[in-house]
Amino acid sequence: MTVWVGTSWKMNKTLAEARQYTSELLEGLDRLELGTVQPFIIPPATALSAVAGALVDDGRVLLGAQNAHWEDNGAWTGEVSVPQVADAGAQLVEIGHSERREHFRETDQTVRRKVAAVLRHGLTPLLCIGEPAEVREAGGSSDFILGQAARALEGLSAPELSRVLIAYEPVWAIGAAGRPAAPEELRSSFAALAGSFGQHTAGLLYGGSVAEDNAAALLGIPHVDGLFIGRAAWEADGYLRLLETAAATAGTPAAGRLSPDTNESAEEVGTK
């Protein structure tokens, strides 16, 4: 089973910083045995082509884009299309993050269109879903995230759905003000996702205040196939240590230990 471990840099890093991170990451990976762990990084759009050459040539780390429009081209000022991010080197596309839903008014309809566009061009969609605190407190987490996923994946064939990654990121657990979730708080949500989508998709990831001290426990939750990490992986050495933890948790001991100062049927199933 593939264990997906990735990070989005959000609106951070200059071109020089992106190149330095990539260099440190690839150097650090030379000292690790990843086994079944699949790393991926998602830089800002400005840095995609700057790091693509090194990553694609190396082949160990997938490269993603933080967003892409559902149309291939046109009068969409300020947007980038799936063909454009693919041309810059992207292999997957993050879609529907809660910050985009909140601040840029993305809807389930636009998220669905973006998922379809990413699949149409042969890239991997990383669909983000997650409930706000008030929904959790009311006991509606599972219904909320299942509804989000179903609306985003509506109409996809089984082969298309099998190429989708789902990242469950509770809104109350993400960002600088997020509260780290205890594993027992996440079990029912992952059980619900697994029941509807687990065997049909490429993987179910967890994101939300992931750090070195809780990564192993989060990966131990039934049905969790990987981690989507924020600020804990914004420095290459932190990301490398999280990859090491994931490799060990997946039963593949890391070949080298990183020291603390290392810089290292086309059946319609989408409405389930």
Side-chain angles (χ1 to χ4, degrees):
M1 180 193 77
T2 300
V3 179
W4 304 84
V5 181
T7 180
S8 172
W9 297 349
K10 302 196 177 184
M11 198 174 69
N12 294 287
K13 299 194 186 299
T14 62
L15 293 180
E17 290 168 339
R19 292 188 183 102
Q20 180 65 25
Y21 181 108
T22 303
S23 176
E24 293 175 2
L25 173 60
L26 295 180
E27 181 181 349
L29 288 178
D30 290 339
R31 298 187 288 276
L32 291 180
E33 177 55 61
L34 291 174
T36 60
V37 174
Q38 175 59 68
F40 63 91
I41 61 172
I42 307 181
T46 54
L48 274 173
S49 60
V51 303
L55 292 182
V56 173
D57 289 346
D58 180 84
R60 288 175 292 183
V61 181
L62 296 179
L63 180 62
Q66 294 180 21
N67 184 42
H69 199 275
W70 60 84
E71 293 287 354
D72 290 356
N73 49 58
W76 301 96
T77 302
E79 291 290 320
V80 292
S81 69
V82 178
Q84 286 174 322
V85 298
D87 186 50
Q91 297 155 296
L92 59 83
V93 181
E94 178 183 0
I95 302 171
H97 191 280
S98 63
E99 292 164 355
R100 293 205 58 84
R101 294 177 191 261
E102 177 184 0
H103 300 301
F104 300 98
R105 300 297 185 263
E106 290 201 359
T107 66
D108 290 331
Q109 182 183 36
T110 59
V111 169
R112 178 175 56 80
R113 288 176 174 177
K114 291 181 179 186
V115 169
V118 172
L119 289 168
R120 185 171 69 248
H121 289 284
L123 278 65
T124 298
L126 175 63
L127 170 65
C128 297
I129 58 174
E131 83 282 10
E134 58 269 24
V135 171
R136 176 187 174 275
E137 291 162 2
S141 296
S142 294
D143 287 343
F144 186 94
I145 61 176
L146 288 177
Q148 274 190 324
R151 290 186 292 272
L153 304 175
E154 181 180 358
L156 297 185
S157 67
E160 289 172 328
L161 194 58
S162 70
R163 294 163 46 203
V164 175
L165 290 168
I166 297 177
Y168 170 46
E169 298 189 297
V171 178
W172 47 271
I174 65 175
R179 175 181 68 78
E184 55 269 21
E185 296 180 283
L186 304 172
R187 294 180 189 276
S188 60
S189 293
F190 272 100
L193 285 171
S196 292
F197 298 102
Q199 64 180 337
H200 303 295
T201 59
L204 303 176
L205 284 63
Y206 175 72
S209 299
V210 178
E212 290 182 46
D213 61 358
N214 65 4
L218 292 169
L219 285 168
I221 298 171
H223 313 299
V224 171
D225 301 318
L227 300 172
F228 191 29
I229 308 161
R231 62 193 66 247
W234 286 355
E235 298 298 330
D237 59 338
Y239 184 35
L240 285 162
R241 284 195 286 271
L242 285 159
L243 290 170
E244 182 182 38
T245 295
T249 303
T252 306
R257 305 300 297 180
L258 295 170
S259 61
D261 59 351
T262 301
N263 282 329
E264 344 263 278
S265 95
E267 178 187 2
E268 298 296 321
V269 295
T271 54
K272 283 183 178 285

